[in-house]
Amino acid sequence: MFPIKTGMLGVAGLMLAFALSAFNVEPAQAQSNVAQRHRVVIQVSDGDPAKWNLALNNAKNLQADLGAANVDIEIVAYGPGIGMLKLDSAVAPRIDEATRAGVKIVACENTMNGQKLARADMLDGIGYVGAGVVELMSRQQQGWAYLRP
Amino acid sequence: MFPIKTGMLGVAGLMLAFALSAFNVEPAQAQSNVAQRHRVVIQVSDGDPAKWNLALNNAKNLQADLGAANVDIEIVAYGPGIGMLKLDSAVAPRIDEATRAGVKIVACENTMNGQKLARADMLDGIGYVGAGVVELMSRQQQGWAYLRP
Amino acid sequence: MFPIKTGMLGVAGLMLAFALSAFNVEPAQAQSNVAQRHRVVIQVSDGDPAKWNLALNNAKNLQADLGAANVDIEIVAYGPGIGMLKLDSAVAPRIDEATRAGVKIVACENTMNGQKLARADMLDGIGYVGAGVVELMSRQQQGWAYLRP
């Protein structure tokens, strides 16, 4: 009977492996707080440099407290917040500093189109998304935390 | 040995099907961004028409980018934001346009009671929730993304 | 053949049990809205007493609507919002009332350090977290809803 049992184990094992991979079950530790990768999307939608500085402070504090390598941070600027990322931004040096430190900063192209802004009008080092609101929604649906300074 | 193997496959398969259905494991595609239904609750709690317009712009952009049929959008007005939904609202025509476009817009009855507002004081086409904050919390717990313009 | 089948069932069953426990699959009811415990973290980052009152109103309404015993509420004050928790806060009596009612209210020590504030400068009954933004992110990753009045 043993050769049969072993064969059955192999078959059942393959089926389990297939079922679990097909159904995308994540290991327990991936769901616990300790082992979970920290990911946070920060919204900037106010045309207020004080808010821009607060958002950049938040990103800096997250990196300082968790270690820059342990947290994914994305700042999404849209609507009146788009001014944060224009060439004449009051926080231009801090944008450069943040992107160099690994913070992803993206501008909303919907907003840019509405304000007749081209990429040549924007700061270096930033990224672009079609719609800031879609990005903010999608990131949350991917499990990112949301922060609106 | 083959008849036995086939029998084992059937038994193990049934057990797997039972176990996975009992434990409500969702297929991988239901958790990916592409196949997941887009749902977002938008908070309006400022007494500021500029914020009301921004919230309505956000809803419009979400529908434009994702297709109105592919995204559930609910705007929750409460506290100082309740003015957005009063008969004399500065954005009254846009509220009508948004609800016709399939955006759900609800007023907080707690706030209305506090401000002695009846449904007759409010715009047509909107809905009502007992407490705006409970709605915002519940939607997030149901998996909706949160947006606060 | 039956003794073999039974043996196989046992083996496959053990494998299933092991696989499912190792992968931390939660029962369906733990994911439904009814059985889920209500938990909400409220951000206070504005230096504006009107916002402080709104946050406290939100907490009060959540407790009134859901029952204080059925909802965990944590207010996190940081950045310009730290003034809400200083001894001279415009809402000091309401902070005392809220903490007595079971609302957890915490101050960001990063912000306190930046503003040279010691615990002796802060109201009684509150708690402290190293970084407000980390707390807001962690709570969301633990499944708490987020509210920013």
Side-chain angles (χ1 to χ4, degrees):
Chain A
M1 267 165 52
F2 272 98
I4 299 172
K5 252 188 191 161
T6 311
M8 290 301 103
L9 275 169
V11 167
L14 276 171
M15 289 176 65
L16 269 169
F18 171 76
L20 290 170
S21 67
F23 283 81
N24 194 29
V25 180
E26 292 186 336
Q29 80 232 42
Q31 298 185 346
S32 78
N33 194 45
V34 178
Q36 190 178 22
R37 178 155 184 84
H38 299 296
R39 299 176 300 172
V40 58
V41 62
I42 302 178
Q43 171 180 321
V44 173
S45 54
D46 293 311
D48 175 3
K51 285 290 175 71
W52 305 346
N53 274 307
L54 196 53
L56 291 162
N57 292 348
N58 289 177
K60 204 168 183 172
N61 283 333
L62 283 163
Q63 288 192 326
D65 274 64
L66 301 168
N70 300 320
V71 56
D72 293 326
I73 305 173
E74 180 174 324
I75 298 178
V76 179
Y78 77 99
I82 200 75
M84 184 198 203
L85 306 184
K86 288 165 66 178
L87 283 180
D88 63 356
S89 167
V91 297
R94 294 199 67 187
I95 298 295
D96 187 54
E97 181 194 354
T99 55
R100 284 175 195 276
V103 177
K104 188 177 174 186
I105 304 184
V106 299
C108 169
E109 293 182 318
N110 273 351
T111 303
M112 288 171 59
N113 293 340
Q115 300 191 16
K116 313 284 180 212
L117 291 168
R119 292 197 180 189
D121 301 314
M122 312 301 285
L123 291 168
D124 282 340
I126 67 168
Y128 297 89
V129 293
V133 285
V134 173
E135 182 73 4
L136 289 164
M137 182 198 66
S138 298
R139 286 303 192 194
Q140 290 179 70
Q141 294 189 324
Q142 291 161 10
W144 292 51
Y146 167 95
L147 211 60
R148 192 222 184 276
Chain B
M1 268 162 56
F2 273 98
I4 300 173
K5 255 190 190 159
T6 311
M8 290 301 103
L9 275 171
V11 166
L14 275 170
M15 289 177 65
L16 268 170
F18 170 76
L20 291 169
S21 66
F23 283 81
N24 195 30
V25 181
E26 293 185 334
Q29 80 229 45
Q31 299 185 345
S32 78
N33 195 44
V34 177
Q36 191 179 22
R37 178 153 185 83
H38 299 296
R39 300 177 299 171
V40 58
V41 62
I42 301 177
Q43 172 180 322
V44 174
S45 54
D46 293 310
D48 174 3
K51 284 290 175 70
W52 306 347
N53 274 308
L54 195 53
L56 292 162
N57 291 350
N58 289 177
K60 204 169 182 172
N61 282 333
L62 282 163
Q63 288 192 327
D65 274 63
L66 301 168
N70 300 320
V71 56
D72 293 326
I73 304 173
E74 181 173 323
I75 297 177
V76 180
Y78 77 99
I82 200 75
M84 184 199 200
L85 305 184
K86 288 166 65 178
L87 283 180
D88 62 357
S89 166
V91 297
R94 295 199 66 187
I95 297 296
D96 187 55
E97 181 195 354
T99 55
R100 283 176 196 275
V103 177
K104 189 176 174 187
I105 304 183
V106 299
C108 169
E109 292 182 319
N110 273 352
T111 303
M112 288 171 59
N113 293 340
Q115 301 191 13
K116 313 286 179 208
L117 292 168
R119 293 197 180 190
D121 301 314
M122 311 302 284
L123 291 169
D124 282 340
I126 68 168
Y128 297 89
V129 293
V133 285
V134 174
E135 182 74 4
L136 288 164
M137 182 197 67
S138 299
R139 286 306 193 193
Q140 290 179 70
Q141 294 189 322
Q142 291 161 13
W144 292 50
Y146 168 94
L147 211 58
R148 192 223 183 273
Chain C
M1 269 164 54
F2 271 98
I4 299 173
K5 254 190 192 160
T6 311
M8 291 301 104
L9 276 169
V11 167
L14 276 170
M15 289 176 65
L16 268 169
F18 170 76
L20 291 168
S21 67
F23 283 79
N24 195 30
V25 181
E26 293 186 336
Q29 81 230 44
Q31 299 186 343
S32 79
N33 195 45
V34 177
Q36 191 178 20
R37 179 158 182 82
H38 299 296
R39 300 176 299 173
V40 58
V41 62
I42 301 178
Q43 172 180 322
V44 174
S45 53
D46 293 311
D48 174 5
K51 284 290 174 70
W52 305 346
N53 273 307
L54 195 53
L56 291 162
N57 292 349
N58 289 176
K60 204 169 184 173
N61 282 333
L62 281 163
Q63 287 192 326
D65 274 65
L66 301 168
N70 300 320
V71 57
D72 293 327
I73 304 173
E74 180 173 324
I75 298 178
V76 179
Y78 77 100
I82 199 75
M84 184 199 201
L85 306 184
K86 288 166 64 180
L87 284 178
D88 62 356
S89 167
V91 297
R94 294 199 67 187
I95 297 296
D96 187 54
E97 181 194 355
T99 54
R100 284 176 195 275
V103 178
K104 187 176 175 187
I105 305 184
V106 299
C108 169
E109 292 181 318
N110 273 352
T111 303
M112 288 171 59
N113 292 341
Q115 302 192 11
K116 314 283 178 210
L117 292 168
R119 293 197 179 188
D121 302 313
M122 311 302 286
L123 292 168
D124 281 340
I126 67 168
Y128 297 89
V129 294
V133 286
V134 174
E135 182 74 4
L136 289 164
M137 183 198 66
S138 299
R139 286 306 193 193
Q140 290 179 70
Q141 294 189 322
Q142 291 161 11
W144 293 51
Y146 167 94
L147 211 59
R148 193 227 183 271

